[in-house]
Amino acid sequence: MTDITHELKILPDFFEAFIRGDKNFEIRNNEHDFKVGEFLVLNEWTSCDYAKRCATGRSIKSVITYVTDFAQRDNFVVMGIRPVQYMKVEPNIEI
């Protein structure tokens, strides 16, 4: 494993599915050149008003276990991920 960690935003429905164990993958643009053994920190974000998104304060760290671009749009990958640590982040940060 490496020490590389990618921080990503995730919407509540997808975050909940991951927490419940129903979702063990993430489909993303491969702008970070994701590799097996690297980490993802998935930070839950939601709409706090019409034009902004806010952090909910929930976050989970996961390790990338598999990466493929099979049958994906250009520069997109599917990553198999496994949770390693539930974390808290500062809630209600607006962007």
Side-chain angles (χ1 to χ4, degrees):
M1 279 196 217
T2 72
D3 290 335
I4 296 174
T5 299
H6 306 280
E7 297 243 357
L8 303 174
K9 296 174 187 157
I10 187 170
L11 294 172
D13 289 346
F14 301 117
F15 187 85
E16 278 297 323
F18 187 63
I19 294 293
R20 284 192 315 265
D22 298 335
K23 181 177 181 278
N24 60 357
F25 64 92
E26 192 65 22
I27 301 172
R28 294 290 177 136
N29 185 304
N30 199 24
E31 63 192 358
H32 296 280
D33 192 27
F34 299 108
K35 303 270 191 259
V36 170
E38 295 177 346
F39 295 96
L40 300 181
V41 173
L42 300 174
N43 298 308
E44 183 185 40
W45 286 69
T46 189
S47 295
C48 57
D49 70 25
Y50 180 74
K52 298 178 188 168
R53 292 207 180 269
C54 295
T56 65
R58 298 194 316 161
S59 182
I60 192 162
K61 186 175 184 178
S62 305
V63 64
I64 301 171
T65 58
Y66 186 79
V67 179
T68 184
D69 62 357
F70 181 77
Q72 298 301 302
R73 296 187 310 186
D74 286 344
N75 205 40
F76 274 72
V77 294
V78 177
M79 295 173 280
I81 55 176
R82 179 175 39 84
V84 295
Q85 180 184 12
Y86 184 77
M87 307 161 61
K88 287 285 190 178
V89 294
E90 186 66 31
N92 298 323
I93 300 170
E94 297 179 4
I95 61 167

